Each structure stands twice: as structure tokens, then as C-alpha cells.
Amino acid sequence: MADQTLDTLILAPARSAGYWQNVGARLLRDKTAMAAGSVLLLLTLAAIFAPIIAPMDPLEGRLINRLQPIGSDGHLLGTDELGRDMLSRLIWGARLSLLMGVTPVVMAFILGSAIGIIAGYAGGWTNTLIMRTVDVFYAFPSVLLAVALSGALGAGLGNALLSLTVVFIPPIARVAESVTTRLRSSDFIEAARASGAGALTIVRVHVLGNVLGPIFVYATSLIAVSMILASGLSFLGLGVRPPNPEWGLMLNTLRTAIYVQPWVAALPGLMIFMVSISFNMLSDGLRSAMEVRQ
Amino acid sequence: MLGYSLRRIIYTIPVLLGVSLVCFALVHISPGDPLISILPADASVELQDRLRVLYGFDRSYPEQFLLWLGRALQGDLGTSIATGRPVTAEVINAVGNTLLLAAVATFVGFVLGCFFGFVAGYFSNSPMDKAASAAAVFGVSVPHYWLGMVLVIIFSAQLGWLPASGAGPGGSSQWKLDAEHISYLILPALTMSVIPMGIIARTVRALVAEILAQEFVIGLRARGLSEFGVFLHVVKNAAPTALAVMGVQLGYLLGGSILIETVFSWPGTGMLLNSAIFQRDLPLLQGTILVLALFFVVLNLLVDIMQSALDPRIKR
């Protein structure tokens, strides 16, 4: 799912002093990206303040109250298969679901950038060794690798996060490596080297600033994939364990209820969809705001 | 072309070795004794040792890997712990069903994706482009397992038009080409097709917009070529990349079908993986993943070679 965006990510390195102001201004004018950003901001706030805004306890329910429809008395979004308030569970679920979607990409962003920059800057045998290893992991379809690793490691939040991090390191490392390799032969890096700057200084001052932008844009689009995969692992029973509220897991446990309360059962998936599409639109906005050509 | 293909094939060998090493390692990163699920709780130490020798777990890791690889090359992927049947037979039974589902889904996704992509690219920045691009974003953003559930709610639970799960009447796992079996295929294939649809639509949109902006198109128009003639030129230029993306997507769907197969109880490799994970059947897990990963690597190889044959500009 990741490869075809690679070429569009390599940005022209022409950047003036007001570059970031320009990017910000362009992003603010992009209505779709702003709407997506607001949705994500609201959901993040809801996740942080879940104990205050959730009307009920997400773990407590009464069985006689099970599978109430949307809009029923006292339960705005109905109740689940154990009689727990859906609205409260969806709000609390934002915590684990967002955490599970965002954490692997953040970890992979740090590790993958480091691996890619080292490979790209070092070149030669170091590059070959690192990048061929990365290629091996890239040779697995992402869903398959995530399921294989977390299936072998066993169910659980930590193992799911670890597996997803491993899934996202190769694509990020590839982008970082190709941008760094291109950058390495540019004149201003040559000039820095000629004036006696050490490798660490060059990477810190000249490479990072030019490489992290494109990788960041790419990583935001990966969060959309990560949300779907992370909740997918919980949906399969490999991630968060019951009774904790997490959207993928909720979708799984409510599957049996689709003949009784179909639209209540579909709600958790709608949340995953909203977050995923918002990250995609935000990422598209960021990309066109940062692309100098447009 | 021949030289490129040869180099590409040779380059695939270390990747294949690496992939099999990862699959081999799966059993060993798994916590606990790999024999735990076949041993009775009160197994004597002698029995444990005998089984350990029998399965080769007493040897060093490199030795175990070479033995395992040697057997895998001869088509022997070990024995399923849960069913006692050879893993190879289990995988061959399941892989046909997954291949069928993935191939139909890729085809539907390719047709829809090309349509949306061409419309969006041709009428760039028009309302039609906005709508087609929205369809593409939907395709790459929707959690497909949820979309599957929603389709089941609408077409099975509410309307009762199509079956909700399985691959055929009476839980049969053998697929046949008749109206009844096709009705079982429609919902899972449609659900699966949104992923390639979104990605192909995005790729084709970018391709078409790029091709239309090139000078040769202006040249063609200036010489009075009909709009249909120009369209044919665009198709010819966009085809190699679009077909390549389609090939890679088929590989992704083969490997990534576990979620959709779980939703629809489709008796393919995804269901096999699912049961392998929950019965801690590590040989079955390992074997299924190896076969799916090999499919993916070989498919990518074929796509690259095909692309270089179709597009003479590629001489990497």
C-alpha cells in the first residue's frame, strides 16, 4: 500500500526562510485538511478527557439492559451485548484505539528514519547490508507480517504494538534512505564536508532538516493504515483484551449482534473509519502544502 | 530486457532466503516450549525429550533452519499439530479459495479504479474529479472488515438477498461455477475490492494528469487527432504502471485476506491462519505464512519483469 507514494514524496530542497509559514498558511486555506484536523483534535480531546465527558462507566453494564437501540432512554448510542453504554465505551475506546494506531508509526518514524539516514549517509556496504535486510521485511504484505508476528508472539497490547512497529519500519526506512542518498551528493553537503564538518554535524544540521519533512508527511499517511491494522489485530483477538474498550475489539464482540441491533454493532467501525480518513486527508493536505511545485 | 530479468531473478534469491529465515524464526520468537500444545500436561521428561529429538528441537538453530529449509524445498512444511495432517496439504486446500477471492476482488477493483482514475485525471479539479477522488480516499481509508460487516447487515440481515458467510451452501469449501456459489462470492469479493480500487484510482489519476500535460498530447491534438485517439494514447502510456500496481495489489490481497475471511468465514488461507493462531499450531502458522510470502515475492518479480517488457523505457 505504501510504495507508489514514494516518488511524490521527494521534495525539492529549495526552501526559503519563510518556508514553514508558507506551509502553515497553505494548510490553513485547505478546508478539507482543516476539517480533518478538527475531527482528530476533537477525538483526541475526547480521549484525554474521557473520565469527565463519558456519561457512564465503560466497563459496567446490566444484562437486562443489553443491546438497546440508538437513541434509547439514557443511552444516546444504545448499549452493547453486555448492557454497557455505547457512547461511554466509544469515548473511552478512543484512548486505546488512538494510542494503538499512532504509537507504532511514531516508533517506526524514529527507528526507521535513523536506519534510513544511516544507510543513506554511509553508503557502500553498510547501505547494502541494511537495505537488503529492510527489503526482506518489505517482502511481506503488511497485514500478513503484522498477523504473523503478533500471532507468534501471542495476543496482547504490547505485542501488537511491537509487531506493528516492525511492519512500519521498512517503508519509512526506504523513504529516509532514498531522500538521504539523493541529498548526500548535493553541492551544499559537499561544501559542508569540504569546510571540515564531521559526519554527525552534517547529518544533524543539513540532513535531518531536509529529510524529516518528507518522512513526516509519509508517516501521517501511514497512521491511517496503522489505525486500520491495529484495530484489525484487536478485531482478530490479537490486540487489546476484553473487557477494555477498543474500537476493533468492540466491533468483534458486537459481531454476533448484527441481527439484533445492526447499527449499534457498526458504530465502532465508523469511528475507525473517521479517524483513518481524517489522517489520510490531513496527510494529503500536508503533502500539497509542502510540495514546492504546486 | 533479458539481462534485467536475470538480474532481477538473482536479486530475488537473497530476499527469498531472508523471508524463509523470518518464517523459521516465527516459531522461536513464540513464548514457551514449541511442543507445549501437543504434550499432555503430565508428560514425562523422557517423552518430552523423545519428542524434542523427533521434531529436531534439540539441535542448534542453524542446523534446524537448514533442515527445515531443506524439507520445505521438497514441499514438506511439517505436520499440523492440531489436525495431524501435513501442513502442505492444508495450505493447498485453502490457497485456491483465497486466490479465487483475491483475483475476483483485484479485477473488480482494477476496473472501478481505472474508471474513477481516468475520470478524475481527465477532468482534473472539476466536481467529477472531486467525486472520483473521494471514492479513492474512501477505498484506502475504510476498515475493510467493517465494510464487510456493514454489507452483511444490509444485504444479508436486512434485505436477505445474499448469504452472510461461507463459500457455498451447507458450509462446503469446494468452489464451483454456478449461481449459488457465485452468490457466496459477491459480498467478500466486493468488500475486498475497495482496497485495490482506491489505490489504483489514485495511481491512474496521477498518471493521466501527468500524461495529458505532456507535449506529445498537445502535438497529437494540434494534428487534429480525435479525442478518442488521444484517449488511446493515454491508455497506452498509463497501462504498464496501472497493470504493475494491479499485480502488486493481488499479492497484498492474497496475504492480507485474513480479516475479510474472518468476517465472512471464507475457507481460505486467512481462516487457516486464524485457527493456527488460536490453537497455537505453530507449524501451520509458519507454513501458511511462508507460502503466502513466497506468492507475494514471486508475484512482485513477475510484475517487474512484465513491466520492463511492456515499457521499454525501464532499464534499471
Side-chain angles (χ1 to χ4, degrees):
Chain A
M1 289 173 219
D3 205 46
Q4 69 280 357
T5 49
L6 213 145
D7 282 336
T8 58
L9 281 164
I10 320 285
L11 313 178
R15 287 178 183 183
S16 59
Y19 174 73
W20 288 107
Q21 277 103 312
N22 278 337
V23 169
R26 256 174 292 187
L27 203 58
L28 280 176
R29 260 181 277 135
D30 187 339
K31 287 197 198 88
T32 327
M34 281 298 107
S38 322
V39 168
L40 293 174
L41 189 68
L42 275 177
L43 278 171
T44 312
L45 288 175
I48 295 170
F49 297 108
I52 304 169
I53 53 173
M56 280 170 214
D57 188 325
L59 300 178
E60 239 170 80
R62 288 185 310 149
L63 273 175
I64 38 167
N65 232 350
R66 69 193 291 266
L67 293 173
Q68 295 294 311
I70 293 174
S72 62
D73 225 17
H75 300 287
L76 197 61
L77 294 179
T79 59
D80 73 356
E81 77 287 355
L82 295 173
R84 297 171 293 198
D85 182 50
M86 276 300 282
L87 178 62
S88 309
R89 279 182 74 73
L90 288 174
I91 293 173
W92 277 89
R95 287 191 160 193
L96 276 172
S97 301
L98 288 175
L99 181 85
M100 277 190 74
V102 175
T103 315
V105 178
V106 173
M107 301 282 290
F109 177 71
I110 297 168
L111 295 171
S113 310
I115 292 171
I117 290 172
I118 291 172
Y121 193 77
W125 271 103
T126 321
N127 180 305
T128 310
L129 192 71
I130 295 178
M131 292 322 286
R132 291 300 83 82
T133 313
V134 165
D135 281 353
V136 167
F137 286 92
Y138 202 74
F140 288 88
S142 46
V143 184
L144 187 68
L145 187 59
V147 168
L149 290 175
S150 56
L153 290 168
L157 179 69
N159 286 342
L161 290 179
L162 180 67
S163 314
L164 289 170
T165 306
V166 174
V167 168
F168 292 119
I169 287 176
I172 291 180
R174 281 185 139 202
V175 174
E177 191 260 352
S178 74
V179 181
T180 312
T181 305
R182 210 173 280 193
L183 212 62
R184 200 167 71 114
S185 51
S186 61
D187 289 341
F188 73 96
I189 301 250
E190 284 295 328
R193 206 177 289 135
S195 59
L200 260 179
T201 316
I202 294 179
V203 167
R204 191 168 49 84
V205 178
H206 298 293
V207 177
L208 276 183
N210 281 300
V211 169
L212 289 185
I215 310 175
F216 180 74
V217 174
Y218 182 56
T220 51
S221 75
L222 283 183
I223 296 180
V225 181
S226 178
M227 280 299 303
I228 296 177
L229 276 187
S231 291
L233 286 181
S234 293
F235 180 75
L236 289 173
L238 285 171
V240 175
R241 288 189 223 204
N244 293 312
E246 195 278 338
W247 297 334
L249 181 66
M250 289 165 71
L251 205 56
N252 182 19
T253 55
L254 280 164
R255 259 175 74 200
T256 47
I258 59 166
Y259 291 92
V260 191
Q261 285 301 346
W263 303 118
V264 173
L267 279 174
L270 189 65
M271 302 299 291
I272 306 171
F273 180 40
M274 260 169 51
V275 174
S276 161
I277 202 166
S278 300
F279 271 115
N280 263 329
M281 294 194 303
L282 189 64
S283 164
D284 282 353
L286 262 178
R287 183 170 306 157
S288 53
M290 286 173 76
E291 213 155 35
V292 181
R293 267 177 297 161
Q294 282 192 345
Chain B
M1 152 81 204
L2 199 67
Y4 170 75
S5 306
L6 262 175
R7 253 181 301 140
R8 187 65 183 75
I9 290 170
I10 290 168
Y11 164 76
T12 305
I13 295 169
V15 173
L16 285 176
L17 264 178
V19 164
S20 40
L21 188 62
V22 171
C23 290
F24 170 76
L26 282 178
V27 169
H28 299 278
I29 60 166
S30 178
D33 196 317
L35 288 174
I36 201 111
S37 44
I38 40 169
L39 281 172
D42 56 348
S44 66
V45 180
E46 291 95 79
L47 180 66
Q48 285 185 27
D49 287 342
R50 267 221 333 261
L51 275 172
R52 196 156 288 131
V53 174
L54 198 68
Y55 277 82
F57 286 130
D58 57 328
R59 298 168 191 253
S60 69
Y61 284 153
E63 250 181 302
Q64 283 190 44
F65 175 61
L66 289 178
L67 276 173
W68 175 78
L69 191 65
R71 280 200 297 265
L73 283 174
Q74 293 163 32
D76 174 13
L77 293 170
T79 311
S80 160
I81 289 172
T83 62
R85 293 178 50 199
V87 169
T88 317
E90 298 270 8
V91 176
I92 286 174
N93 266 340
V95 88
N97 283 328
T98 301
L99 203 59
L100 171 79
L101 184 59
V104 173
T106 310
F107 178 72
V108 174
F110 182 72
V111 173
L112 289 177
C114 283
F115 174 74
F116 286 132
F118 267 103
V119 168
Y122 247 94
F123 306 101
S124 202
N125 293 322
S126 71
M128 283 229 274
D129 173 20
K130 296 260 158 59
S133 300
V137 178
F138 172 84
V140 293
S141 307
V142 70
H144 45 279
Y145 40 96
W146 173 69
L147 181 68
M149 256 177 81
V150 171
L151 291 180
V152 166
I153 290 173
I154 297 172
F155 293 103
S156 306
Q158 309 266 345
L159 297 170
W161 289 353
L162 292 164
S165 69
S172 89
S173 62
Q174 231 48 45
W175 209 80
K176 280 196 293 282
L177 188 67
D178 58 34
E180 194 154 25
H181 280 84
I182 289 174
S183 72
Y184 280 85
L185 182 64
I186 293 174
L187 285 185
L190 203 63
T191 309
M192 212 184 220
S193 72
V194 296
I195 308 169
M197 183 274 283
I199 288 168
I200 290 169
R202 286 188 147 195
T203 314
V204 170
R205 179 187 183 274
L207 275 172
V208 169
E210 195 189 17
I211 294 167
L212 283 176
Q214 277 177 27
E215 282 173 352
F216 84 90
V217 175
I218 303 171
L220 290 175
R221 289 215 170 104
R223 275 188 281 148
L225 195 69
S226 69
E227 203 44 48
F228 182 70
V230 175
F231 173 75
L232 286 184
H233 276 273
V234 174
V235 170
K236 209 176 147 198
N237 276 280
T241 312
L243 285 171
V245 173
M246 180 181 91
V248 175
Q249 284 303 310
L250 177 65
Y252 269 121
L253 293 190
L254 274 177
S257 65
I258 178 167
L259 285 154
I260 285 175
E261 290 189 12
T262 306
V263 170
F264 289 100
S265 306
W266 185 263
T269 48
M271 283 291 274
L272 206 60
L273 273 180
N274 203 335
S275 62
I277 287 167
F278 291 102
Q279 294 169 330
R280 305 253 5 108
D281 191 343
L282 289 170
L284 186 60
L285 178 78
Q286 188 182 40
T288 313
I289 285 170
L290 180 69
V291 171
L292 291 175
L294 291 187
F295 257 109
F296 189 58
V297 173
V298 172
L299 207 64
N300 277 334
L301 173 72
L302 292 178
V303 164
D304 274 4
I305 291 176
M306 182 204 76
Q307 202 181 8
S308 78
L310 282 180
D311 192 342
R313 286 170 302 182
I314 296 177
K315 278 209 186 83
R316 278 172 284 185

